[in-house]
Amino acid sequence: MLYSPDEVYPDAVQPFVEQFCKVRFSDLPTEVVEATKNQVLDFLGIALGGSAEAGVAELRDLVREWGGAEQSTVIRYGDRAPAPNVAQLNATMAHALDFDDVHEDAIMHPGVVAIPTALAMGEYVGGISGQELITCVVLGTDFICRLGLATRPGENIHKYGWHLTSIYGFLAAAAVAGRILGLDSDRLTSAIGIGYHQSAGNGQAVKDGVLTKRLGPGFAVRGGIVAALLAKRGVTGARNILEGRAGMYHVYHGASFSREILLAEIGERFETMNVSIKPYPCCRGVHAFIDAGLAVATKHNLRPEDIERVLINCGQGTYFLLATPLETKSRPTNPVDSQFSIIWGVATALARRRATLADFSIEAIKSPDILDITAKTTVEVDHSLDRGDVGIEPARVTVTTKSGTVYTEQVDQPTGTPSRPLSFEDVVKKFKSCLAHAGYPISEARADEVIERVSRLDDLADITELVRLLV
């Protein structure tokens, strides 16, 4: 069927197009600017930390084989390659550890889309200021998170199996790249439309524990940048991108979305302030359970050998994603399995009183101390913990000791949420732990300089100064 070009135009995408064309750094609240600095430092740390993970070397080999114009810089390695390819590789590094920032209500990883796009395109155009980098990250974060939030009134978002960061990442990356290219509203709309034409990404990679899980955001930023470059050259894209009869919300969500949620207080409220920086390198839904396990272990000075059995209570959504199938979640066969298991997260907290990068590795999943506790663990759904499609569900962990003593801890909001945020100093510690995990891919002196530059990012004249420190 042919659709009229003015089907519902102006589509709900237009207020975002206006944002990307008109918002300036001076329009941003101070707290949003400071939160964005945390996002940027966090991204750089996890990208450097993930630079040696499986899947990254293979993609880097492919990028080097492709060759091409030396437009942008690959973090850590210093390779110079076309901007879309560089952004793809940098995003893949940053998503490889499942340690990147997250908007819990939107179920979205915004930084891993907005930041590598802005860095690569900033170099592509010959340099942008730190203030412009911050503005692009704020707008990209707000756009991709609102796209996810708008689906919340409808059916369970996992019903169709989409990986939301990937499918919305094509649109957000196109918009960020289009702004940096200086596209007018007409061509910026086309860029987002071309991004939509490529949108893809599904959750089967999580179910199967395969490496494409960490590749999704990279595909999105590469496609988004290509979309913006095509739009700059006059290629046209869809106009009714979100609300058209073949628009994103109809095709991907069965028309189940809220225009009101999508556009509420746009330009006044930035979703950056609702983004969490992860303290633990695993799915955000696991974090409350790790907090609860740590609380039981530390409050009661509990030793692993004292534990008789562990009961985890969770909501239905958590159970669906992070507790089944039981065999895989109890005895992971690969790191992705462990990153998406509340059983593994709790057992790690009880066995080691921590949850670090070393505890979700290929070596860690063979650890007898953790596996001993997973074997004693059961999971039960408690519908009082259900949150439907909104936010992270609470966690309850009950440990029964061999002496018969019972300890219970419930955590409603995990560490790192906007109500319990990580400070810049906390992010610095995480940054350094990521570098240590990767064997310090840059020198400690350079690492300290990166931290200092990001802390004053709004004073930086050209972000290429920062990029040069990352290799």
Side-chain angles (χ1 to χ4, degrees), residues 376-434:
K376 301 174 181 178
T377 302
T378 58
V379 181
E380 295 180 2
V381 173
D382 180 343
H383 289 295
S384 72
L385 303 176
D386 287 353
R387 282 194 179 166
D389 283 338
V390 181
I392 299 296
E393 292 183 329
R396 188 185 307 128
V397 173
T398 300
V399 176
T400 302
T401 68
K402 291 177 179 177
S403 66
T405 306
V406 178
Y407 300 114
T408 299
E409 291 288 339
Q410 180 166 323
V411 173
D412 295 328
Q413 292 290 336
T415 305
T417 57
S419 60
R420 302 177 61 195
L422 299 188
S423 66
F424 188 78
E425 291 71 27
D426 292 329
V427 180
V428 167
K429 292 177 183 176
K430 177 179 172 180
F431 176 85
K432 291 187 174 182
S433 74
C434 287

Side-chain angles (χ1 to χ4, degrees), residues 57-359:
E58 294 82 355
L59 180 58
R60 182 186 174 218
D61 284 346
L62 187 56
V63 167
R64 296 177 76 185
E65 179 183 312
W66 286 336
E70 297 184 356
Q71 297 170 341
S72 306
T73 306
V74 177
I75 288 173
R76 179 184 183 178
Y77 297 104
D79 303 327
R80 299 278 294 170
N85 301 344
V86 168
Q88 179 182 14
L89 185 49
N90 289 342
T92 300
M93 290 183 196
H95 201 54
L97 299 172
D98 214 321
F99 213 178
D100 42 322
D101 63 27
V102 60
H103 190 297
E104 293 153 12
D105 291 343
I107 315 181
M108 197 66 59
H109 297 279
V112 78
V113 171
I115 298 170
T117 302
L119 289 174
M121 290 305 294
E123 286 192 274
Y124 176 89
V125 299
I128 59 174
S129 69
Q131 291 188 0
E132 177 62 7
L133 174 64
I134 290 171
T135 307
C136 288
V137 173
V138 170
L139 294 176
T141 295
D142 195 58
F143 186 26
I144 196 171
C145 290
R146 284 173 177 271
L147 287 171
L149 284 171
T151 67
R152 291 294 80 81
E155 303 170 272
N156 187 308
I157 59 93
H158 295 295
K159 175 180 178 181
Y160 301 106
W162 304 124
H163 182 222
L164 298 186
T165 300
S166 296
I167 67 168
Y168 294 139
F170 284 87
L171 280 65
V176 170
R179 175 188 168 97
I180 293 174
L181 288 172
L183 302 187
D184 61 23
S185 61
D186 186 63
R187 293 198 177 196
L188 189 58
T189 301
S190 278
I192 299 171
I194 298 168
Y196 170 48
H197 204 79
Q198 303 172 76
S199 289
N202 60 78
Q204 193 60 40
V206 174
K207 299 296 182 185
D208 293 344
V210 293
L211 291 176
T212 42
K213 166 62 176 70
R214 57 187 56 170
L215 296 177
F219 289 132
V221 300
R222 184 177 190 274
I225 290 174
V226 169
L229 293 171
L230 287 170
K232 182 180 180 181
R233 287 158 174 77
V235 176
T236 55
R239 319 292 297 177
N240 299 297
I241 299 161
L242 302 179
E243 297 178 286
R245 279 175 283 172
M248 174 160 276
Y249 285 128
H250 288 260
V251 172
Y252 286 81
H253 295 287
S256 181
F257 74 103
S258 168
R259 195 179 211 268
E260 291 71 27
I261 291 176
L262 179 68
L263 300 178
E265 301 177 283
I266 186 170
E268 300 173 13
R269 186 194 75 237
F270 294 98
E271 286 301 324
T272 296
M273 298 310 298
N274 294 315
V275 171
S276 301
I277 291 179
K278 290 184 175 183
Y280 312 122
C282 54
C283 175
R284 185 59 172 157
V286 179
H287 287 209
F289 295 88
I290 292 174
D291 281 343
L294 290 172
V296 170
T298 57
K299 284 185 181 180
H300 308 290
N301 196 27
L302 192 65
R303 297 175 301 173
E305 58 268 27
D306 296 331
I307 296 173
E308 178 68 24
R309 60 182 177 273
V310 179
L311 171 64
I312 298 174
N313 289 114
C314 64
Q316 184 67 50
T318 299
Y319 185 80
F320 172 81
L321 181 65
L322 303 172
T324 58
L326 180 63
E327 176 61 26
T328 300
K329 302 303 184 180
S330 298
R331 301 186 67 83
T333 59
N334 54 69
V336 175
D337 288 344
S338 69
Q339 291 167 334
F340 283 79
S341 169
I342 55 176
I343 299 169
W344 187 264
V346 169
T348 299
L350 293 173
R352 300 180 174 181
R353 296 192 186 185
R354 70 185 198 197
T356 68
L357 287 164
D359 304 312

